[in-house]
Amino acid sequence: NKLIILIHLCLTYQKIIMKKNDRLMRMMTLLQSKKDVTLEKISGKFGISDRTVYRDIRALNEIGVPG
């Protein structure tokens, strides 16, 4: 049943990546549509820590999204 465990882990990882990609897209839209978006507003809206907000913004900057 190692194969079943491996499949489960792959599907779980895929869901995590899809969730992060969705969050990054929504965050990008939020940042581009409003002038004053606070750290607290972003972390509250997405239910993530302040540190994750910083990591996500860094990831967006790395792919060329202005920050």
Side-chain angles (χ1 to χ4, degrees), residues 5-65:
I5 293 170
L6 181 60
I7 291 170
H8 177 71
L9 289 173
C10 289
L11 291 173
T12 301
Y13 180 73
Q14 182 181 16
K15 287 179 187 177
I16 291 169
I17 295 300
M18 289 175 63
K19 183 177 176 181
K20 180 178 180 181
N21 288 341
D22 179 56
R23 184 180 71 239
L24 288 173
M25 292 297 293
R26 293 186 308 141
M27 187 181 297
M28 180 178 67
T29 302
L30 177 68
L31 291 169
Q32 290 178 339
S33 67
K34 300 192 179 192
K35 293 181 181 178
D36 295 322
V37 181
T38 65
L39 176 66
E40 293 79 19
K41 198 177 286 188
I42 296 171
S43 62
K45 179 173 180 64
F46 297 107
I48 56 177
S49 70
D50 293 353
R51 184 166 170 91
T52 299
V53 173
Y54 287 121
R55 281 194 298 261
D56 285 356
I57 290 173
R58 186 178 336 118
L60 290 171
N61 287 332
E62 288 173 0
I63 62 169
V65 176

